[in-house]
Amino acid sequence: MVSRDHYFDWAATSPCDEEILQAAMKEAIEHWGNPSSIHAAGTDARKALEESRKRAADALGVKPETVFFTSGGTESDHIPLLSLLSKPGKGSIVVSAIEHPALREMTGMMQNCGWKVISVGPDRNGFIRSESVASAIQDDTAFVTVMAVNNETGAIQPIADISRAVSEKCKGKRKPFLHVDCVQAAGKIPLRLTDWGIDSAAFSAHKIGGPRGIGVLYLSRQMVPFLRGGGQEKGIRSGTENLFGAAAASMCMEKYLIRSSNPRSEERLSLQKQWTKKFIAGLLDINGCVLIPQDRKNEELSEGFSPWVVQAAFPGIPGQVMERALSSEGFYISTGSACSSGRHSRPVLDSMNVGGREKESAVRFSFGWDTTEKAMDELLDMVRKTVRQFEH
């Protein structure tokens, strides 16, 4: 079995929380009926499913009726976007240029269906500015999407500001649907879904210790789904409910989402901020290392980034070479989004106007609740050693 001691690719997936998965499997075995059946076995399963929904809702600080279980983060992103196809006519979609492929690629498909797609680029530090989003909105804009935390740079986007700017721009007119991909935000930064004033948010269980193949969609606003079926999940997501996945996802949210009612999560976040600050200082001492974005080293910007993700470049050492070199020593990092690992393009870095040499050599270090300060120190030592080897 591959060791987790030096695993630094948590943004791609997290190791499973074994205790939670065992508890969820036990629950699924005990409540074996189809939640849509009206006999005793079905109603028993329905009760268990609704308990999971309430658990997830409590962790998110929202009402249970706004929580829906899906097959993962990608589907939770797709459902609100594809709902546009259920309505007659066409319009425009505003999408940030730093989105995960689940949204970036799907908006391209929407364009093929006749929708106009307006891309909003970030500033050089990877932040989407609220005024940029507002200025992109047109009279026919029906959908706006900006992720909460970027999966490559860790840049925390000003969602509340963007929501206010959208409302102000559309005052007196129909407000477009505002969706937020929260996959990299869950368990990494405090979530304020109701305060943000958003219409929907996507989550993925496997980023927070859960199994693959289960996600959560938060919907504060009524929506007509495009995909239809048996009508499960109030018609929003048809298909027999995944009782095991729902139980596991809700337990993980309860355990790992950062909120005041979960003081251990806040304490862990505080530690990670300290450790990442030290880690970044160590990276900058390595000959030739460049942070992406470079301004992240400035103290006044540090709070604008998730301490769980750091991207850096070592010009002269291709990112995939660095990744393989570290892997051969038992240290696991990545060159960016796992969903784009087979491609050579870097759309997020392109949108930030990152130079060619830095883009080619960029790697991502990402951390999680099992990461220790000692392991991060050892990673830093191994990176130094690897860079020295390429200098000779």
Side-chain angles (χ1 to χ4, degrees):
M1 183 179 290
V2 176
S3 172
R4 289 166 53 170
D5 293 346
H6 295 122
Y7 180 66
F8 303 103
D9 196 18
W10 287 72
T13 196
S14 67
C16 290
D17 186 311
E18 188 175 341
E19 289 185 1
I20 285 180
L21 264 62
Q22 288 176 346
M25 181 57 71
K26 181 181 178 182
E27 187 167 309
I29 291 171
E30 289 178 354
H31 309 288
W32 46 267
N34 186 321
S36 295
S37 298
I38 62 173
H39 50 60
T43 55
D44 177 67
R46 168 61 58 182
K47 181 179 178 182
L49 178 66
E50 294 310 317
E51 287 175 353
S52 292
R53 195 185 314 280
K54 184 178 186 307
R55 187 183 295 122
D58 288 346
L60 289 168
V62 299
K63 296 179 180 178
E65 56 266 30
T66 65
V67 172
F68 302 85
F69 293 109
T70 70
S71 67
T74 293
E75 188 180 28
S76 293
D77 280 332
H78 286 178
I79 288 173
L81 178 61
L82 291 179
S83 72
L84 297 176
L85 299 178
S86 67
K87 303 175 182 179
K90 301 290 188 296
S92 61
I93 298 167
V94 173
V95 57
S96 87
I98 62 170
E99 293 304 300
H100 185 275
L103 280 162
R104 188 174 63 243
E105 297 296 323
M106 186 53 76
T107 55
M109 293 302 295
M110 294 294 289
Q111 193 166 25
N112 292 341
C113 293
W115 285 80
K116 180 181 179 181
V117 176
I118 304 168
S119 179
V120 178
D123 62 19
R124 67 177 189 177
N125 291 311
F127 298 110
I128 301 296
R129 297 300 178 186
S130 58
E131 57 268 26
S132 299
V133 175
S135 64
I137 291 175
Q138 301 181 353
D139 289 341
D140 65 352
T141 299
F143 192 89
V144 175
T145 181
V146 180
M147 68 192 334
V149 176
N150 184 257
N151 52 302
E152 294 191 37
T153 66
I156 301 172
Q157 304 305 320
I159 299 300
D161 292 343
I162 289 170
S163 177
R164 282 192 292 270
V166 170
S167 296
E168 185 64 29
K169 176 69 179 284
C170 301
K171 186 175 293 185
K173 296 181 290 185
R174 180 179 57 86
K175 180 185 173 185
F177 193 99
L178 178 56
H179 175 72
V180 179
D181 184 325
C182 286
V183 169
Q184 293 294 339
K188 304 299 174 63
I189 65 170
L191 300 172
R192 305 278 188 266
L193 300 186
T194 54
D195 293 343
W196 286 347
I198 62 178
D199 297 307
S200 62
F203 301 89
S204 179
H206 80 94
K207 305 291 189 181
I208 50 173
R212 301 169 184 86
I214 183 71
V216 170
L217 172 64
Y218 162 71
L219 272 179
S220 70
R221 178 173 168 182
Q222 190 173 7
M223 185 200 74
V224 179
F226 173 70
L227 297 176
R228 309 296 175 91
Q232 293 87 347
E233 295 295 283
K234 299 180 183 177
I236 296 298
R237 199 276 177 180
S238 292
T240 303
E241 298 91 341
N242 179 355
L243 202 64
F244 161 72
S250 65
M251 291 178 192
C252 287
M253 285 183 150
E254 188 174 60
K255 183 174 180 178
Y256 293 114
L257 292 194
I258 298 169
R259 59 196 194 282
S260 58
S261 58
N262 184 7
R264 289 183 61 186
S265 68
E266 293 185 319
E267 292 167 7
R268 183 63 185 85
L269 174 60
S270 179
L271 282 175
Q272 191 61 46
K273 288 180 178 180
Q274 297 172 36
W275 298 347
T276 298
K277 184 177 180 179
K278 185 174 77 168
F279 180 75
I280 288 175
L283 284 177
L284 292 173
D285 282 339
I286 297 175
N287 186 37
C289 177
V290 178
L291 281 182
I292 298 178
Q294 294 186 42
D295 286 350
R296 182 169 182 174
K297 62 187 176 184
N298 298 338
E299 188 69 27
E300 61 271 19
L301 275 182
S302 60
E303 284 296 316
F305 292 90
S306 164
W308 308 90
V309 176
V310 175
Q311 186 159 215
F314 303 87
I317 308 174
Q320 291 186 344
V321 172
M322 175 67 82
E323 182 180 355
R324 293 193 186 104
L326 291 179
S327 180
S328 68
E329 298 291 338
F331 290 76
Y332 309 116
I333 65 166
S334 73
T335 53
S337 173
C339 297
S340 303
S341 61
R343 309 171 188 175
H344 297 294
S345 62
R346 300 293 297 273
V348 172
L349 301 190
D350 286 339
S351 70
M352 294 167 59
N353 295 315
V354 173
R357 292 181 71 240
E358 287 80 10
K359 184 169 60 176
E360 180 188 12
S361 61
V363 293
R364 180 183 68 186
F365 308 101
S366 54
F367 317 111
W369 59 84
D370 273 0
T371 305
T372 64
E373 183 179 19
K374 179 175 179 289
M376 292 177 69
D377 290 341
E378 291 168 347
L379 170 62
L380 202 54
D381 289 340
M382 186 54 63
V383 172
R384 287 194 193 100
K385 177 182 176 182
T386 303
V387 171
R388 283 197 297 265
Q389 289 174 344
F390 282 92
E391 288 176 341
H392 298 300

